[in-house]
Amino acid sequence: MAAADKKADPMSCQVVLAGAVAKDLLTEVSEGLSKLGKSPLLVGFLANTDPAARKYADWTDRTCRENGFKFEVREVDREDLEANVLAANEDDGVDGIIVYYPIFGNRQDQYLQQVTDVSKDVEGLSHRYIFKLYHNERFLDKNMSQKSLLPCTPLAVLKILDFLRVYNSILPYGNRLFGRSITVVNRSETVGRPLAALLANDGACVYSVDVTGVQQFTRGEGIRKSRHEVVEKEGWGLETCVPLSDVVICGVPGDSFKLPTKLLREGAVCINFSTEKNFEGDVKDKASIYVPAIGKVTIVMLLRNLLRLVQNREVRMDSKEQALKTILSQRV
């Protein structure tokens, strides 16, 4: 009788671990690496005492070495960080650069994000990449031979949604989230806002939530616009947008925030990208799929971006060589 009275674990909720998603994506990365004929070097700059940054650096080191990439962490004083990044920009032996934030925790960090040369910015935070993201442009050049980079954490969330079949493969590429309503609880400039833009650019109706309120990101009625637009939702809060959402994505730093399970619609997909647990313990009572962390996928996206940097560099070199041959042939 006691066993019968004991509450059973929710059987309708599938918990998906980041490692399962990362495994498939690593195959794609390995295939790309095999075509390079070299092991790209990623340099990580650690200039803080944040345990999460240290953990991220350790994960990056292990994942790089397990998958044929070279990784070197350089611990520097934050006052010397800019000079060290500039030196790495000029070092031909360095293929990619990552800086583990926060450093100063203010606008100076935004400045430092632009110090890394765009050709080595593995995080995809340089202005050129962010501009392309917000304008829904996928390539850096008119010939569409160099793909733009996306920030690693937002890209990881997109890959997880694709793995979970939230993207509708029947629809045309670029519209595959049409009909989906998604709430993103975080509107930081490095993760939350870019993520909302990417989801909306792919066709979703996105409710972006932070302490100031709710903004709606969409491509307009019938996704007729080529890129997203933003509308303030006056008077809205979590209690308004979460019950409307097929997917709820949380990334609030600190351990004080918990999204109330009672707000979730039945069968919602819930993804947590904070280092803390943003969902209440009973989230599986309402969710159909729960992803408790995404770190391992984020690191694979870091390697994917590193590959893309090297591939783009090779395209530029080939273009220069071809241009030089054309000039020389005209002189003969």
Side-chain angles (χ1 to χ4, degrees), residues 210-265:
D210 73 354
V211 292
T212 66
V214 179
Q215 294 180 343
Q216 184 183 44
F217 288 57
T218 70
R219 279 171 47 200
E221 185 177 354
I223 58 171
R224 293 186 178 91
K225 298 187 177 181
S226 61
R227 63 187 178 97
H228 74 282
E229 60 183 9
V230 182
V231 176
E232 295 285 346
K233 304 297 287 184
E234 298 291 342
W236 281 44
L238 287 172
E239 67 282 355
T240 316
C241 56
V242 171
L244 302 175
S245 299
D246 308 297
V247 181
V248 180
I249 304 166
C250 287
V252 180
D255 58 3
S256 60
F257 175 81
K258 299 292 181 186
L259 189 134
T261 301
K262 65 181 181 181
L263 296 180
L264 295 171
R265 68 188 302 176

Side-chain angles (χ1 to χ4, degrees), residues 135-169:
H135 285 255
N136 200 18
E137 297 176 4
R138 316 260 168 155
F139 293 89
L140 296 173
D141 60 333
K142 293 180 180 179
N143 294 329
M144 294 190 293
S145 59
Q146 299 178 56
K147 293 183 178 179
S148 188
L149 269 66
L150 298 174
C152 297
T153 301
L155 180 57
V157 174
L158 266 58
K159 291 296 183 181
I160 289 170
L161 290 174
D162 188 42
F163 179 88
L164 299 177
R165 303 294 187 265
V166 174
Y167 277 80
N168 186 347
S169 60

Side-chain angles (χ1 to χ4, degrees), residues 315-329:
V315 168
R316 290 193 299 273
M317 291 176 63
D318 289 344
S319 297
K320 288 180 180 179
E321 289 178 5
Q322 186 60 45
L324 180 58
K325 288 180 181 178
T326 300
I327 293 172
L328 292 175
S329 66

Side-chain angles (χ1 to χ4, degrees), residues 113-114 116-118 121 123-131:
Q113 288 167 7
Q114 306 309 314
T116 302
D117 189 282
V118 66
D121 175 22
E123 297 176 276
L125 296 175
S126 295
H127 178 266
R128 189 180 184 193
Y129 294 137
I130 296 299
F131 177 89

Side-chain angles (χ1 to χ4, degrees), residues 30-144:
S30 297
E31 291 173 355
L33 179 62
S34 66
K35 297 176 183 177
L36 286 184
K38 60 171 287 187
S39 295
L41 171 61
L42 175 62
V43 171
F45 286 101
L46 195 58
N48 61 39
T49 57
D50 183 5
R54 169 69 68 178
K55 184 177 182 180
Y56 189 20
D58 289 343
W59 278 358
T60 306
D61 186 17
R62 183 167 62 252
T63 306
C64 281
R65 299 187 189 285
E66 288 176 352
N67 292 280
F69 293 81
K70 293 184 290 186
F71 178 73
E72 181 181 316
V73 64
R74 299 179 183 178
E75 298 190 43
V76 300
D77 185 273
R78 67 179 189 174
E79 300 298 337
D80 299 324
L81 176 60
E82 181 176 357
N84 279 270
V85 171
L86 289 172
N89 285 342
E90 300 299 320
D91 187 345
D92 291 338
V94 176
D95 295 294
I97 297 170
I98 178 173
V99 177
Y100 295 101
Y101 295 98
I103 306 299
F104 293 93
N106 54 33
R107 290 183 64 85
Q108 193 165 346
D109 283 7
Q110 296 177 29
Y111 164 75
L112 287 170
Q113 288 167 7
Q114 306 309 314
V115 171
T116 302
D117 189 282
V118 66
S119 68
K120 296 189 179 185
D121 175 22
V122 76
E123 297 176 276
L125 296 175
S126 295
H127 178 266
R128 189 180 184 193
Y129 294 137
I130 296 299
F131 177 89
K132 292 289 184 180
L133 183 159
Y134 285 126
H135 285 255
N136 200 18
E137 297 176 4
R138 316 260 168 155
F139 293 89
L140 296 173
D141 60 333
K142 293 180 180 179
N143 294 329
M144 294 190 293

